Amino acid sequence: MTTVLPVREDDAAPSTRGLVADRIAMVALFVFACGWFSWGIKTPSLWRDEVVTATMVSGSPIAIFDVVHHHFDRVHFVYYELMWAWTQVFGTSEVSLRAPSLVAMAITAVVVFVVARRYVSWLGAMCAGLVYVLLPSSTRYAQEARSTAFIVAGVAIATWLMLRAVETRNNRYWVAYILLMSGLCFLNLLVPLALIPHAAYLYRKVTVRTLALLWAPVFAASAFVALISVHQRGQVAWIPGPSLEQLLLGFGSLAGGALPALVVAIGVLGTVVWTAVGRRWNEVGWILAGLLIPFALLAVSYVKPMFVPRYVMFVAFFAALAMVIAAARIHVALPVVAVVAVLVLGWPNQTLLRTPASHNEDFRAAAAFLQAQTTRDDAIVYATPTIRMGLDYYAPKGLPAADPLAVPARDGLLPGNAPCAADSTAAFARVWSLVLVRTADVECTSGKHLVSRRYFGTLVLNLYE
């Protein structure tokens, strides 16, 4: 059984003029989003996850496979290979590494418009797209060299494919939907959580058998990635157990700050009330179901702690739709108010995101400081390999100080640390140690005393003499 989604009468047969206006809006929104996300993209230093990306793509595809197979990040293998291909053409500068994420987030904004246009006017749909662009969380992940933006864009496009498949009864859309959703699992094994709003939409539109055929490849792909990554589960050992505080902080993170989250919450609450009063659950209830994803992730976290908001950042796609649809139906001016509110209340977060340490560690400033302050009589020790990667990226020719704990890179890519012997740093006048906030210092200072401490975001530089 397959039924067609009821659409608004004014959208059922759009005029040629309306189609042209929509296409102009899509192009304008994409261009604006690219410009907005480009603003300040070079300012934040790469943080530790991003320098892992930079390090991985510096090797060959075979070297990348060897690293993820023997050491870590099997779940990111496909992303690293895609980025390797990209950097072969465009290089490994900060802008080049982040540009694919920027484009992916801009595409997501366009999909927000396209989906919203099924329910509201041209202006309302444009406002939905602008709300998504102006959320600080969108900026954060558009300016990050990781797979988050790819996943968000993929879920958004898959959602549109699902809508088109039901509306047109064209199996080509279903094939594209299955392939995309299954492929996304090779970027994030939690992608099946996006099936919650999809299930709400498909309820009574397709048979259970059809649903099983559609989703079997998706769950199989997710299970496969989980199976091959199970021995690397220590990579998520740092994630704390679930709690109400985590959930509240998570919603703030999904919007990019407390005040933007408040605006989203008010908009979503209005849509819930409007939907309940008008009994419109069959029409827009599936969009609201997308906001249940964080609760589902919290439930999963009681089995295995996994509650990290960026893992389900695609919730923001559904949130932008949910907060504008009712507003546009109630009064034409309300979506504009929503855009202004997100912009004004999110402005402090937007400016903060465009500061050097906004992505946690400021490796760029730390490398510049050490380049200027250290000599050949000094030693530098690193608490983790990722800190060493960050300094290597911003000081590719090396630092003046010695690196007594350096060992040959594993599989030609991953730098490591040798165990600290009693005399590893004894011959050096000064020892600089680099650690992360809230982690133990490197115990390799040969009895020297701490004389200074500097912070570069969440990166801590200690000096011992």
Side-chain angles (χ1 to χ4, degrees), residues 238-328:
W238 58 272
I239 302 175
S243 66
L244 178 60
E245 180 184 10
Q246 263 196 301
L247 183 64
L248 295 175
L249 291 174
F251 276 111
S253 297
L254 290 169
L259 291 178
L262 179 62
V263 176
V264 173
I266 292 172
V268 168
L269 181 61
T271 298
V272 170
V273 172
W274 173 81
T275 302
V277 171
R279 296 183 179 180
R280 301 177 177 91
W281 298 110
N282 288 338
E283 186 181 6
V284 297
W286 71 274
I287 297 174
L288 295 172
L291 305 181
L292 299 177
I293 292 172
F295 296 96
L297 181 59
L298 190 71
V300 170
S301 295
Y302 279 98
V303 178
K304 171 63 178 177
M306 293 288 288
F307 194 86
V308 179
R310 68 176 181 270
Y311 292 173
V312 290
M313 191 51 62
F314 44 82
V315 172
F317 166 76
F318 297 101
L321 291 169
M323 69 176 292
V324 172
I325 287 176

Side-chain angles (χ1 to χ4, degrees), residues 340-363:
V340 173
V342 170
L343 175 61
V344 172
L345 295 181
W347 187 256
N349 299 77
Q350 291 285 0
T351 55
L352 182 62
L353 284 169
R354 293 165 170 89
T355 57
S358 61
H359 287 196
N360 297 327
E361 298 86 34
D362 188 354
F363 289 116

Side-chain angles (χ1 to χ4, degrees), residues 18 22 73 76 119 184 197 223-224 233 284 299 306 321 368 378-379 438:
D22 285 356
D73 270 0
H76 296 304
Y119 298 95
L184 288 173
F224 174 76
R233 58 185 177 274
V284 297
M306 293 288 288
L321 291 169
D378 296 347
R438 296 187 298 275

Side-chain angles (χ1 to χ4, degrees), residues 77 96 124 173 401:
F77 170 68
S96 175
Y173 288 109

Side-chain angles (χ1 to χ4, degrees), residues 363-374 399 432 452 454 456 461:
F363 289 116
R364 185 196 300 123
F369 179 84
L370 288 168
Q371 193 76 52
Q373 298 296 322
T374 59
L399 297 168
W432 304 81
S452 70
R454 289 177 176 269
F456 300 91
L461 176 62

